[in-house]
Amino acid sequence: MSDGDKNGGDKPEALPEVWPEAERAESLARGAALKWASGVFCRPEHLERLGQYRKRESQRTSSIQSRLKSVVQSYLEGVGWGLEQLREAREELKEVSRALGKAGVESSRNAEGVKALEMMREVSVNHCQLLAAVSNLPRLYSVQSMVSETERLVESRRLLEAHARLMELECWQDDILWQLHGAGAPGTAGTALSAQDEELVRNYFSGVGKLVEALGKELWAVVGSGLALARQNPTPFVSAVRIVEREEALDQAMLEERGGAGGHSRPLPSGRPRCWRERFFQVLEEAVSARFRSVSYLHTRGPGLAGHLSALQHGIMGDLATVRHLLDHCVPPHYNLTRAYLRACHRCLQSHLGQVSGWELESGEIFAVLNWVLHIYNSSDMMGHPDLMVEMESEELGPLISQECLEQLQNKYVHSVRKSVSEWMHKALEVELTDWQRDQEPDTDHEGFYLTSLPTIITQLWQCCVSFVMLEENARVALMVSESLRDQTIQMGLYEMENLLNRFREALVEFGKEHRRDQSTNQNKFYLHYLLASISNCIILKTSTESLQQQLSSRSASRFSRTPPGPLAALDRAVRRACRLVMDQLLLELQPFLQGLLSRSWLAQGDVTVTLKLCGVLERHFELYSRVRPPCRQRLQEECQWLTVVEYVRVLMQKRLVCRNAEERRQLAQRMALDAQHLRDLFQGLEVEGSVSEVNPMALLPVLADFIRLKDPSMLTLEVSGLVAKYPDISDEHVSVLLDVRGDVSRDVRGTVLDLLEQSTPPLPAGYRPIFSDILVPTPSMPFCLPTAKCA
């Protein structure tokens, strides 16, 4: 036999084909052993330990083989035990199969005997049905007459008698159907009634179902008119409640009988359970909601909505009083009728007010709804009444309007008020601009201060806005609606006030531009007067705005959805702009007289007429400033002094007059001191209040006069040091011009003075208002020269 035949016929040789993993494992093991041996016996001297390695490996091999034998033996014992169990199970299955075969044979023999009893069972069922029909014949003959009599009782609202007859008819119907089901025959329980027979019985008793509907209709009509009946004759209502309780007891009894009798229980009659007690409370809620169904949008527009809400309040409280004092005594205590009526009123009001909130309401209407919901409804006049609090806490009812709907109403209210406020402010500003064009002085208040119609309109507007969210105008803390709505309204007002003041400032700027354009025609003779009136208006508006801001709660700042309003900052900008325009007008009137000061002709003539005319202009302005409310009056007076001094020094810096000798310096210093005295006497005579700044501008002119009067130029260094100490904002350009005006300062002294000034430049102290910073030194003109190569 060839090698191929041997391999094909020898089964053990085929194992590597079935288990290729074994061949792979053996090759891996041989490779690992070869690798290990090559590492251990890499030198000839290592072969001496070959016997030790052989002995150790043989012991390891023996241990592994013994463990494998133990595992295999245990596995074989388990397999043998399993086979024994299978043999026992097979024997038991054979016994069961033989027993089932015998039972099947016996069952088929008994089935032939049962067939003989089927005819007797049918006869028994027919006999039971005929017996039930014969026994119920008197009832069947009287059904129609009882139905007619019960109908008459229902129509005459003798509800208790009608319900008793109805219960009797229903009992007859149920008994006949139960008897026809065969429940009365022993051993025949559960026999099915044919659909034809059941339909026949139900058609015969069809009048009973109509009676149930008619009785229910009358019953719910009585319950729905319970409030009216309670004031006149509560007997029908009491009868209706007794019928409801009878029906509830019948429902409960039938459900218990069906649940506890097992397979022999009667089926529930058609229409059961009726759940008339639940229906009683539904009808009660429908009666409550009926008062809201006839309300429409057109009937409640404007003041009608507040009247409608007031009527709801009185109607609901009257009904609740009737329920508590009359109807509550007509029902069992477990009805909790007052509590149920409260819940029904609350749910109906929720639905009705949700409908009202969806209408296009104006601000007054929204306010009426919010006030009614948040205050009147929960007050002691309604749900917070002590007698009602005993029945149910207002927290159990929940909110009348959801928080989302409440926020929508508040936002709608604020938006509506903001629109009105914006239009009102726009009209107020238009009236103000028209007043500025009048050819007469502004009006004055009882204190003699200028004012126009703007603050009066805005103040009335604030009172209007605040009164919308206050219970009393004089009690600023008692809120009618909510703190949140008040804060939103005030914030809205502050935003609109800021917008108005920004437009007011822009209007002032345009007013000033228009005046400068029309200055030649002199159309607006009272330009300055209306500027001063605008400043007084801003003082009044500031008081109103601060009062409004103080009414904001401490938590309102955290609720700003955008940048908080800044009406005070806008008002300050408007005041500054108006004061600037006033000063511009003053400068415009002073300019012709300033041109004649500090010139050589002015010094040569020695005439003080120019100074006196300048003082006359200042006096006239000061008289007009007295018509401005403090503190802006003091501010204008101070600005007037600063402007006068600054412009006087600016003229000096123009170097119209450069002294040629000591006599001219003495005369110039004397005239400057005299002008300073005139101005000081003017301001003191007009009772000008002290300057807010630590620097008195009027003290500068005598200092400059002393600087020019100084005879010894070598003392100029000391004089400049004192000047810098008093006025640290003076620059080297200013000092250089003063030295030029003296006309006797040498180059060395000038250099020393300017070096000292450069080295001693002190910082501006706190509270110091710069004066020289407002005085620009004219740029010196370049001397004319021929364009030579050196100049190039």
Side-chain angles (χ1 to χ4, degrees):
M1 185 179 295
S2 64
D3 293 340
D5 294 338
K6 290 180 181 181
N7 294 336
D10 196 354
K11 292 182 179 180
E13 291 296 331
L15 282 177
E17 298 177 0
V18 179
W19 304 98
E21 291 81 1
E23 182 178 358
R24 190 180 307 130
E26 182 177 359
S27 62
L28 290 175
R30 290 181 180 277
L34 182 60
K35 183 177 181 181
W36 174 80
S38 62
V40 172
F41 303 107
C42 59
R43 292 185 180 182
E45 56 268 19
H46 292 166
L47 294 175
E48 296 177 357
R49 292 180 290 177
L50 179 60
Q52 297 177 1
Y53 286 117
R54 182 180 296 164
K55 183 177 180 180
R56 188 179 67 181
E57 294 300 323
S58 62
Q59 291 176 354
R60 182 183 298 175
T61 301
S62 300
S63 174
I64 292 174
Q65 289 178 351
S66 62
R67 281 184 289 176
L68 286 173
K69 290 178 181 180
S70 175
V71 170
V72 171
Q73 183 64 29
S74 176
Y75 174 74
L76 292 176
E77 290 177 357
V79 171
W81 181 82
L83 291 175
E84 185 65 24
Q85 293 293 323
L86 288 174
R87 292 192 192 95
E88 294 178 1
R90 186 179 61 181
E91 294 299 328
E92 292 177 358
L93 286 174
K94 288 180 179 179
E95 291 295 331
V96 171
S97 178
R98 285 194 293 269
L100 287 175
K102 292 179 180 180
V105 173
E106 293 295 330
S107 176
S108 57
R109 293 177 182 176
N110 293 333
E112 295 176 359
V114 172
K115 290 180 181 179
L117 298 176
E118 288 293 334
M119 186 178 298
M120 186 176 292
R121 177 180 295 177
E122 294 178 1
V123 172
S124 175
V125 171
N126 291 333
H127 175 73
C128 292
Q129 292 178 350
L130 290 174
L131 179 63
V134 171
S135 61
N136 287 298
L137 279 178
R139 295 180 181 179
L140 294 174
Y141 283 125
S142 62
V143 166
Q144 299 301 326
S145 61
M146 283 191 67
V147 168
S148 301
E149 184 179 356
T150 306
E151 287 179 350
R152 288 194 297 270
L153 291 174
V154 171
E155 292 174 357
S156 60
R157 281 204 171 181
R158 297 165 61 182
L159 300 180
L160 285 176
E161 298 179 29
H163 186 254
R165 297 297 179 87
L166 178 62
M167 290 173 64
E168 187 176 357
L169 286 170
E170 288 181 334
C171 184
W172 290 358
Q173 180 182 1
D174 295 342
D175 288 344
I176 291 174
L177 286 174
W178 179 242
Q179 291 173 8
L180 291 178
H181 269 286
T188 62
T191 303
L193 178 67
S194 66
Q196 184 178 1
D197 294 339
E198 184 173 359
E199 184 67 21
L200 178 64
V201 174
R202 295 196 181 280
N203 288 337
Y204 191 78
F205 283 91
S206 60
V208 176
K210 297 178 180 178
L211 282 177
V212 173
E213 295 177 0
L215 179 62
K217 184 177 180 180
E218 291 295 327
L219 196 68
W220 306 135
V222 170
V223 173
S225 59
L227 291 174
L229 293 174
R231 300 184 183 97
Q232 301 171 2
N233 179 21
T235 303
F237 185 81
V238 175
S239 300
V241 173
R242 292 180 62 184
I243 292 172
V244 169
E245 286 301 299
R246 284 181 187 176
E247 288 292 329
E248 195 70 19
L250 282 173
D251 288 344
Q252 190 67 25
M254 290 182 179
L255 290 174
E256 291 177 356
E257 178 184 357
R258 184 186 182 191
H264 300 282
S265 62
R266 291 190 179 189
L268 280 176
S270 177
R272 291 286 182 180
R274 290 191 176 132
C275 303
W276 275 12
R277 184 187 294 170
E278 181 181 351
R279 178 61 181 159
F280 172 87
F281 290 104
Q282 292 178 358
V283 171
L284 188 69
E285 184 168 348
E286 291 174 0
V288 174
S289 64
R291 67 175 60 255
F292 306 113
R293 294 174 185 168
S294 60
V295 178
S296 67
Y297 179 47
L298 296 178
H299 294 161
T300 57
R301 283 305 307 269
L305 182 57
H308 167 66
L309 294 176
S310 178
L312 281 182
Q313 175 186 353
H314 292 92
I316 290 173
M317 295 307 294
D319 293 347
L320 285 172
T322 303
V323 171
R324 283 190 297 110
H325 297 123
L326 298 177
L327 283 185
D328 216 359
H329 303 290
C330 299
V331 298
H334 64 269
Y335 269 48
N336 293 320
L337 191 61
T338 303
R339 178 187 291 263
Y341 199 86
L342 277 173
R343 291 186 181 277
C345 289
H346 187 75
R347 285 193 292 268
C348 292
L349 280 174
Q350 282 180 326
S351 175
H352 179 60
L353 290 176
Q355 177 186 3
V356 172
S357 301
W359 295 344
E360 292 295 331
L361 301 178
E362 298 179 355
S363 59
E365 297 170 328
I366 298 173
F367 170 75
V369 173
L370 291 174
N371 180 45
W372 198 86
V373 168
L374 297 178
H375 289 276
I376 296 178
Y377 183 72
N378 293 318
S379 67
S380 59
D381 295 333
M382 281 198 72
M383 296 306 174
H385 194 280
D387 296 337
L388 297 180
M389 296 292 287
V390 176
E391 298 291 339
M392 178 182 292
E393 295 290 339
S394 58
E395 289 77 8
E396 297 181 33
L397 295 174
L400 196 57
I401 291 183
S402 64
Q403 185 64 29
E404 180 181 0
C405 183
L406 183 63
E407 291 178 357
Q408 290 177 356
L409 277 178
Q410 291 183 353
N411 294 334
K412 189 185 297 184
Y413 170 77
V414 174
H415 178 74
S416 177
V417 173
R418 181 167 194 166
K419 183 179 179 181
S420 301
V421 169
S422 179
E423 293 176 356
W424 199 345
M425 287 187 172
H426 183 72
K427 292 179 181 178
L429 186 58
E430 289 181 350
V431 173
E432 178 73 7
L433 298 181
T434 304
D435 289 344
W436 290 351
Q437 305 300 327
R438 293 194 305 174
D439 193 17
Q440 63 183 28
E441 276 192 83
D443 299 330
T444 57
D445 59 8
H446 63 284
E447 297 177 287
F449 298 127
Y450 282 146
L451 83 162
T452 60
S453 59
L454 180 65
T456 304
I457 298 175
I458 298 302
T459 303
Q460 292 176 354
L461 180 60
W462 285 148
Q463 293 176 354
C464 182
C465 289
V466 174
S467 65
F468 274 146
V469 292
M470 295 298 172
L471 181 61
E472 297 176 0
E473 292 184 5
N474 298 326
R476 298 290 179 175
V477 183
L479 303 179
M480 282 187 68
V481 177
S482 68
E483 184 177 323
S484 173
L485 179 59
R486 180 197 64 176
D487 290 343
Q488 289 184 38
T489 306
I490 293 177
Q491 290 170 15
M492 175 275 302
L494 293 176
Y495 278 120
E496 289 301 319
M497 185 65 178
E498 182 180 6
N499 294 335
L500 172 69
L501 291 171
N502 289 332
R503 295 196 301 269
F504 183 74
R505 182 172 58 87
E506 294 172 0
L508 284 173
V509 174
E510 189 61 31
F511 187 44
K513 293 179 180 179
E514 182 180 354
H515 176 71
R516 286 191 294 272
R517 287 195 299 266
D518 301 338
Q519 186 176 359
S520 58
T521 60
N522 196 17
Q523 290 185 356
N524 195 339
K525 295 183 294 185
F526 299 97
Y527 167 74
L528 180 60
H529 303 70
Y530 281 102
L531 285 178
L532 299 177
S534 300
I535 296 175
S536 293
N537 293 342
C538 290
I539 301 302
I540 300 175
L541 293 178
K542 181 179 181 181
T543 304
S544 302
T545 304
E546 289 175 343
S547 174
L548 201 63
Q549 280 188 325
Q550 291 173 1
Q551 298 177 24
L552 283 174
S553 64
S554 58
R555 300 184 301 274
S556 63
S558 61
R559 292 197 293 262
F560 282 123
S561 58
R562 51 177 178 148
T563 305
L568 293 179
L571 191 144
D572 186 63
R573 290 193 297 269
V575 170
R576 289 178 181 274
R577 174 55 59 184
C579 291
R580 185 67 261 170
L581 292 175
V582 171
M583 292 299 105
D584 291 345
Q585 180 63 21
L586 174 61
L587 178 60
L588 188 64
E589 296 183 18
L590 291 178
Q591 201 66 40
F593 307 107
L594 290 172
Q595 297 296 331
L597 293 175
L598 300 174
S599 62
R600 188 162 298 280
S601 59
W602 166 79
L603 183 63
Q605 293 174 2
D607 190 4
V608 296
T609 305
V610 178
T611 305
L612 294 178
K613 290 182 179 179
L614 186 144
C615 290
V617 173
L618 292 175
E619 185 176 359
R620 185 173 66 84
H621 271 257
F622 267 80
E623 182 181 355
L624 292 177
Y625 297 165
S626 63
R627 301 295 186 93
V628 179
R629 289 181 173 273
C632 284
R633 179 176 59 196
Q634 292 82 359
R635 180 176 179 177
L636 287 172
Q637 293 172 349
E638 179 185 351
E639 291 296 327
C640 180
Q641 295 182 63
W642 279 88
L643 182 103
T644 304
V645 173
V646 166
E647 294 302 323
Y648 193 96
V649 177
R650 180 178 285 116
V651 173
L652 180 63
M653 291 295 156
Q654 292 176 359
K655 295 191 294 185
R656 298 178 183 174
L657 177 60
V658 177
C659 298
R660 300 171 180 172
N661 49 49
E663 179 61 24
E664 288 187 357
R665 286 191 291 274
R666 184 190 64 78
Q667 292 179 4
L668 176 59
Q670 184 177 0
R671 290 296 304 276
M672 289 179 63
L674 183 61
D675 289 347
Q677 185 62 39
H678 281 302
L679 294 175
R680 187 181 301 108
D681 294 341
L682 170 67
F683 294 140
Q684 290 178 355
L686 296 174
E687 297 181 355
V688 178
E689 301 181 13
S691 173
V692 179
S693 175
E694 295 182 359
V695 179
N696 183 6
M698 296 307 304
L700 176 60
L701 297 184
V703 171
L704 296 179
D706 293 340
F707 183 87
I708 296 174
R709 186 185 294 114
L710 187 64
K711 297 179 179 180
D712 188 1
S714 62
M715 298 296 292
L716 287 175
T717 304
L718 183 61
E719 190 71 19
V720 170
S721 299
L723 189 62
V724 172
K726 290 182 180 180
Y727 304 99
D729 63 318
I730 191 170
S731 65
D732 52 353
E733 289 87 356
H734 296 112
V735 175
S736 179
V737 171
L738 291 175
L739 296 177
D740 291 340
V741 171
R742 282 183 57 88
D744 64 338
V745 181
S746 63
R747 182 175 300 178
D748 295 337
V749 174
R750 179 186 293 270
T752 303
V753 169
L754 295 180
D755 290 342
L756 173 65
L757 185 64
E758 184 177 356
Q759 295 173 4
S760 59
T761 305
L764 298 181
Y768 174 81
R769 178 178 176 180
I771 185 170
F772 281 96
S773 300
D774 297 333
I775 303 172
L776 299 179
V777 178
T779 304
S781 57
M782 296 295 295
F784 175 76
C785 63
L786 292 175
T788 61
K790 184 176 182 180
C791 289

